[in-house]
Amino acid sequence: MRQIIVLQTGNPDVMQLQDVAKPEPGEGQVRLKVQAAGINFADVLAVKGQYLTPTKLPLIPGGEFAGVIDALGPGVSGFTVGQQVAALTGQGALQEYAVVPVRGLIPVPAGLDAAEAAAFPVSYYTAYITLITLGRAVSGETVLIQGAAGALGTALIQVARALDLKIIALASTDAKLKIAADLGAHTTLNSEREDIVDAVKEALGGQGVNLVVEITGGEMVQRSLRMLAPQGRLMIVGAASGEQASLNPTALMKKNLSVTGVWLTPMLGDRQMVESALAFFGPLIASGQLRPQVGPRYPLAQSAQAFQDILDRKTTGKVTIEPQR
């Protein structure tokens, strides 16, 4: 079988395609025929050696994928050969077959194809945690979403619509803003505007927003704080700029602001949260109100190009790589 391997961290061109033997599942494992891998910015950072946790080499990139169970290891029950599942494993997605521990299998709502299933877990569970579990959003509040045409941004817009929030979407091009508007954003603004703080407040009649979903980092964090209404919540989900941000505790105190970091990985151990999220998403998918936004699809041999396109901000929706192509 073919797989992508990283032997040293760096830019996407360090990713190599190689042929290896098909793995056999061990105790408590299944083998998946990988149909689609959903690529997140965290995967790009892992290849560069810049993620929250140190990159362990050699690395098979990609932690989110979907496929069909091809073989069961000893001691596995509750799953069958031929069953379609999604997996969150931290790495291992970019190969034609992957061995996955049963605990790494993630339930996804019925009715999704392989690419949609691969695009679902990280973005939609993160959106749920950001707006509901930690953000405590309630109907009628306002939320500002950065990177609104990306995988997480499109998921956040759909979840925010289901919660009856007023949505302000930021993105860097008119085409990306149109995607956000088509999904239901009430106001769209170009994130490159120098007067973005004033523009946000003007859109709200001089008021601030209740929640800001911050993915940029650096200087933008200060701007995000200035956008908030009294008792507003800043939800830090990423730092795509790679720049450090500073916080002034006094500024937080003056408006009773709160700042919350969001990281999906440890939250997935909360089974009650996972079950609540599935109960929330199931009817929305069944009714057509929510659908993972699958963006560009690449074959395995073009994995490095997919990662570079994400770095260059050329993509919208969830980038997927299809190892069987």
Side-chain angles (χ1 to χ4, degrees):
M1 72 168 194
R2 299 176 303 155
Q3 69 178 195
I4 296 293
I5 193 78
V6 173
L7 300 176
Q8 62 179 20
T9 57
N11 289 323
D13 59 8
V14 302
M15 300 164 66
Q16 304 173 34
L17 183 66
Q18 68 176 13
D19 290 309
V20 296
K22 187 185 298 185
E24 295 297 329
E27 183 78 25
Q29 297 178 329
V30 302
R31 186 175 65 202
L32 296 188
K33 182 178 182 180
V34 182
Q35 297 174 314
I39 305 305
N40 300 288
F41 197 68
D43 300 316
V44 180
L45 293 178
V47 170
K48 291 173 70 67
Q50 297 175 358
Y51 189 49
L52 290 171
T53 54
T55 300
K56 295 181 180 179
L57 298 174
L59 170 71
I60 301 170
E64 177 184 30
F65 50 109
V68 174
I69 294 177
D70 174 68
L72 303 176
V76 173
S77 61
F79 296 94
T80 59
V81 171
Q83 181 179 353
Q84 187 176 52
V85 294
L88 283 180
T89 57
Q91 64 170 347
L94 297 187
Q95 51 189 339
E96 292 179 315
Y97 292 85
V99 167
V100 180
V102 170
R103 66 178 181 276
L105 300 178
I106 298 294
V108 294
L112 302 180
D113 64 24
E116 291 170 333
F120 176 81
V122 169
S123 295
Y124 285 84
Y125 280 114
T126 298
Y128 183 90
I129 291 166
T130 301
L131 295 180
I132 298 174
T133 308
L134 300 178
R136 307 180 309 281
V138 298
S139 175
E141 287 191 311
T142 55
V143 59
L144 181 137
I145 298 170
Q146 297 177 10
L152 177 59
T154 53
L156 284 161
I157 290 173
Q158 292 178 77
V159 174
R161 286 284 293 178
L163 295 173
D164 194 28
L165 304 182
K166 183 171 183 180
I167 304 162
I168 298 178
L170 303 189
S172 59
T173 69
D174 288 344
K176 291 180 178 180
L177 291 174
K178 184 179 186 303
I179 290 172
D182 289 346
L183 284 173
H186 301 92
T187 301
T188 60
L189 296 169
N190 191 302
S191 57
E192 306 299 310
R193 292 177 58 159
E194 288 296 326
D195 65 341
I196 190 63
V197 176
D198 292 335
V200 168
K201 290 185 175 180
E202 181 180 349
L204 295 173
Q207 304 299 311
V209 298
N210 301 113
L211 290 95
V212 171
V213 182
E214 165 64 52
I215 67 164
T216 306
E219 179 186 351
M220 190 62 187
V221 171
Q222 293 299 327
R223 295 184 179 183
S224 294
L225 287 170
R226 295 201 299 273
M227 296 173 187
L228 286 170
Q231 301 181 48
R233 289 95 77 197
L234 179 64
M235 312 300 295
I236 298 182
V237 186
S241 68
E243 300 172 357
Q244 292 293 322
S246 59
L247 295 175
N248 181 347
T250 304
L252 302 180
M253 294 164 60
K254 286 180 177 178
K255 292 170 65 178
N256 292 295
L257 305 179
S258 61
V259 179
T260 302
V262 180
W263 188 23
L264 174 63
T265 301
M267 296 294 291
L268 286 173
D270 183 343
R271 300 310 303 174
Q272 183 176 352
M273 182 282 295
V274 171
E275 292 172 4
S276 296
L278 282 172
F280 174 83
F281 287 127
L284 294 173
I285 290 175
S287 66
Q289 298 178 64
L290 183 150
R291 205 78 188 178
Q293 301 298 295
V294 177
R297 304 182 184 206
Y298 299 78
L300 190 65
Q302 294 180 12
S303 295
Q305 185 62 59
F307 277 50
Q308 189 62 53
D309 287 348
I310 292 173
L311 272 175
D312 294 339
R313 301 171 68 184
K314 293 181 178 179
T315 65
T316 59
K318 176 61 73 73
V319 171
T320 57
I321 294 172
E322 300 175 338
Q324 303 301 323
R325 286 175 58 188

